[in-house]
């Protein structure tokens, strides 16, 4: 007895689409009074319970568009770094003041009766367990917008790809990628007194899809087409955008601060009219507005700032520097260990994992055959075919392994990023895994010791269950 979700909406799809359909199947549709049962969650809150009778093919089909539309709001008010403004007055950026984009998911189960006139029993959809719907879909996002409808088509089809701002557009005049959401002419006449705004996608849109508009550039030209001046504004919170708070940050490094599930910044606006732009050159006859992506910096996750404990008598810090918390050792029992690789491998070494005594981050180094290494770690080092001997307290704590022989291959410990994952074939099988680098939500991985395909669901921290050895785009492409 099992449920399968065989069709879903796109990861990021307009709520005013011609339907947001889920199609599910089960192997028990021949039972009396069989019906699919589903619960709809918006922002992790249960908002709707529904049932679907199987169609002639035994499939359950339910459209959530009209329900979700009531939760996607659309008002002419934006947020400029937390301050409400009229959207038409945006400069340089603004974010929706209300829930223009929402996240949602469904839990599916089923019910049936053992006899024609018997009572109905509900099942979770996971095995033959009794209870409320518990077979969950992944999380999707929908936003207050429309999509084109092909009257000749017989199947829903939407592609967010042209509106994802990442990389360089593939064609020009007209461009077919890197598009604004606003259905606007690329070249238009405009009066000096007019306001004008353009909407665009931003940040994690769902799964591994990320839109990266780092800054906007305005260029002003005279009547001979000569550039008078140009001005650039970063897409950061202090300019009305976000979720980056500094031009030194990159999108891939802030998911612990602003989780990918966050919907506050998925659609933003940029001011594009003469009345939006301050210091508009008086002799300007033509100007351009263009968003750019600029990937520079580290993708190492930025850790959330600890919440300060308020004092009894609050004091104003306006204009003063923000105190920086002092570093706190991660563990109080940092221990020295002797490590030696006693096995044989084709590479001549094995990966050994330790826990940094200062930060708590997990690191690895390469231990070569028959070479002693002395390391400091919060926990006992782990690895295949290694011998570990506890030496005593480590003073001062340091995560850097120091090989004792004079001829030793150099090794630099690598800090791991930690992720939560779920088994592609069993939603109740969840783990924490480590990977040396950034992994987008929705990517699928295989592990060093634990068999199976696991989908990345969120960033995490602390200890981990296994190490990633290969990465795939989806559960379907991951070899079992």
């Amino acid at each position: 007895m099992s449920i399968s979700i065989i069709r879903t909406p796109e990861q990021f799809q307009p709520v005013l689409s011609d339907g947001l359909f889920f199609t599910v199947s089960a192997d028990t549709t021949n039972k009396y009074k069989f019906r699919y049962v589903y619960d709809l969650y918006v922002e992790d809150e249960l908002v709707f319970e529904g049932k679907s009778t199987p169609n002639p093919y035994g499939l359950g089909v339910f459209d959530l568009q009209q329900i979700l539309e009531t939760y996607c709001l659309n008002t002419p008010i934006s947020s400029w770094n937390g301050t409400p403004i009229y959207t038409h007055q945006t400069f340089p950026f603004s974010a929706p003041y209300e829930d223009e984009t929402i996240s949602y998911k469904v839990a599916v189960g089923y019910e049936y009766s053992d006899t024609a006139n018997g009572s109905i029993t509900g099942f979770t959809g996971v095995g033959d367990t009794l209870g409320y719907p518990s077979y969950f879909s992944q999380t999707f996002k929908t936003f207050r917008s429309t999509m084109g409808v092909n009257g000749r088509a017989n199947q829903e089809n939407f592609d967010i790809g042209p509106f994802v701002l990442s990389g360089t557009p593939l064609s020009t005049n007209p461009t077919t990628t890197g598009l604004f959401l606003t259905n606007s002419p690329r070249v238009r006449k405009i009066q000096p007194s007019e306001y004008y705004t353009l909407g665009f996608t931003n940040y994690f849109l769902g799964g591994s899809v990320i839109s990266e508009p780092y800054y906007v550039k305005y260029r002003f030209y005279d009547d001979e087409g000569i550039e008078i001046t140009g001005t650039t504004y970063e897409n950061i919170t202090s300019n009305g955008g976000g979720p980056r708070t500094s031009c030194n940050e990159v999108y891939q490094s802030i998911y612990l601060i602003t989780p990918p599930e966050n919907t506050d910044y998925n659609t933003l606006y940029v001011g594009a009219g003469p009345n939006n732009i301050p210091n508009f050159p008086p002799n300007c006859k033509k100007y351009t507005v263009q968003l750019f992506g600029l990937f520079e910096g580290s993708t190492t996750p930025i850790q959330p700032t600890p919440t300060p404990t308020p004092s009894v008598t609050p004091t104003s810090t306006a204009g003063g520097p923000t105190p920086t918390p002092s570093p706190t050792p991660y563990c109080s029992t940092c221990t020295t260990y002797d490590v030696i690789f006693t096995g044989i491998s084709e590479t001549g070494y094995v990966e050994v994992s330790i826990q940094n005594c200062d930060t708590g981050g997990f690191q690895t180094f390469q231990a070569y055959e028959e070479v002693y290494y002395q390391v400091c770690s919060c926990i006992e080092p782990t690895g295949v075919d290694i011998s570990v001997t506890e030496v005593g307290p480590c003073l001062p704590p340091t995560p850097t392994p120091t090989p004792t022989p004079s001829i030793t291959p150099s090794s630099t410990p690598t800090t791991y990023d930690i992720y939560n994952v779920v088994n592609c074939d069993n939603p109740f099988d969840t783990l924490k895994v480590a990977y040396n680098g950034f992994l987008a939500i929705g990517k699928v991985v295989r592990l060093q010791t634990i068999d199976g395909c696991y989908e990345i669901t969120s960033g995490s921290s602390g200890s981990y269950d296994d190490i990633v050895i290969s990465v795939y785009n989806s559960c379907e492409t991951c070899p079992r």
Side-chain angles (χ1 to χ4, degrees), residues 384-400:
V384 179
D385 293 333
I386 63 171
S387 173
V388 179
T389 303
E390 182 176 330
V391 178
C394 188
L395 299 173
T398 173
T400 306

Side-chain angles (χ1 to χ4, degrees), residues 95-440:
Y97 187 71
E98 296 182 314
D99 290 331
E100 185 172 294
T101 302
I102 59 173
S103 65
Y104 67 97
K105 61 185 176 183
V106 296
V108 186
Y110 52 85
E111 63 180 24
Y112 63 80
S113 173
D114 289 324
T115 62
N117 298 316
S119 59
I120 295 175
T121 303
F123 295 84
T124 63
V126 181
D128 55 0
T129 306
L130 303 181
Y132 296 105
S134 299
Y135 187 86
F136 281 88
S137 71
Q138 60 182 305
T139 299
F140 300 86
K141 293 184 180 183
T142 185
F143 63 107
R144 186 76 183 192
S145 185
T146 61
M147 66 175 285
V149 176
N150 182 356
R152 298 181 179 181
N154 59 10
Q155 189 175 24
E156 176 193 65
N157 185 21
F158 176 75
D159 180 14
I160 193 63
F163 305 97
V164 176
L165 306 181
S166 182
T168 303
L170 299 180
S171 62
T172 57
N173 298 325
T175 56
T176 57
T177 60
L179 304 178
F180 287 105
L181 290 172
T182 304
N183 185 15
S184 168
R186 287 306 177 94
V187 180
R188 57 165 296 175
K189 293 183 178 179
I190 194 168
Q191 296 297 320
S193 59
E194 286 189 62
Y195 290 95
Y196 199 65
T197 58
L198 296 168
F200 59 93
T201 61
N202 187 61
Y203 202 45
F204 284 94
L205 304 182
S208 59
V209 181
I210 181 171
S211 190
E212 305 172 75
Y214 278 87
Y215 64 93
V216 62
K217 186 165 188 177
Y218 301 91
R219 289 190 175 102
F220 305 93
Y221 302 86
D222 62 17
D223 54 0
E224 296 181 354
I226 299 175
E227 184 172 346
I228 303 169
T229 185
T231 310
T232 297
Y233 297 89
E234 289 281 341
N235 176 15
I236 56 178
T237 53
S238 58
N239 280 336
R244 295 188 307 139
T245 59
S246 163
C247 59
N248 295 321
E249 297 173 354
V250 297
Y251 282 93
Q252 290 87 346
S253 70
I254 58 176
Y255 65 89
L256 294 181
I257 308 297
T258 304
E261 297 82 9
N262 182 283
T263 57
D264 295 340
Y265 302 97
N266 285 142
T267 55
L268 298 183
Y269 303 98
V270 60
N275 224 10
N276 295 89
I277 305 169
N279 303 318
F280 203 90
N283 57 336
C284 175
K285 299 300 180 182
K286 183 179 74 172
Y287 68 99
T288 60
V289 181
Q290 188 172 6
L291 292 169
F292 288 84
L294 178 67
F295 185 88
E296 290 183 354
S298 170
T299 60
T300 300
I302 300 171
Q303 300 297 324
T305 303
T307 303
T309 303
S311 58
V312 177
T313 305
T315 57
S316 174
T317 59
T322 302
T324 302
S326 300
T328 302
Y330 186 82
C331 59
S332 59
T333 57
C334 190
T335 305
T336 301
Y337 296 93
D338 282 342
V339 179
I340 183 173
F341 173 37
T342 58
I344 300 175
S345 73
E346 294 181 358
T347 60
Y349 63 85
V350 67
E351 298 281 347
V352 177
S353 176
I354 61 174
Q355 187 175 18
N356 189 305
C357 294
D358 292 327
T359 67
F362 284 84
Q363 302 175 301
T364 63
F365 67 93
Q366 296 172 353
Y368 286 79
E369 296 174 7
E370 301 301 328
V371 176
Y372 278 95
Y373 294 81
Q374 192 169 88
V375 296
C376 292
S377 177
C378 291
I379 62 173
E380 181 174 309
T382 58
V384 179
D385 293 333
I386 63 171
S387 173
V388 179
T389 303
E390 182 176 330
V391 178
C394 188
L395 299 173
T398 173
T400 306
T402 305
T404 54
S406 57
I407 302 176
T408 304
S410 60
S411 57
T412 302
T414 303
T415 301
Y416 274 133
D417 295 333
I418 310 301
Y419 298 89
N420 292 317
V421 297
V422 60
N423 193 314
C424 288
D425 304 310
N426 181 1
F428 293 97
D429 179 12
T430 59
L431 301 171
K432 282 187 179 182
V433 300
Y435 184 68
N436 180 22
F438 171 76
L439 286 174

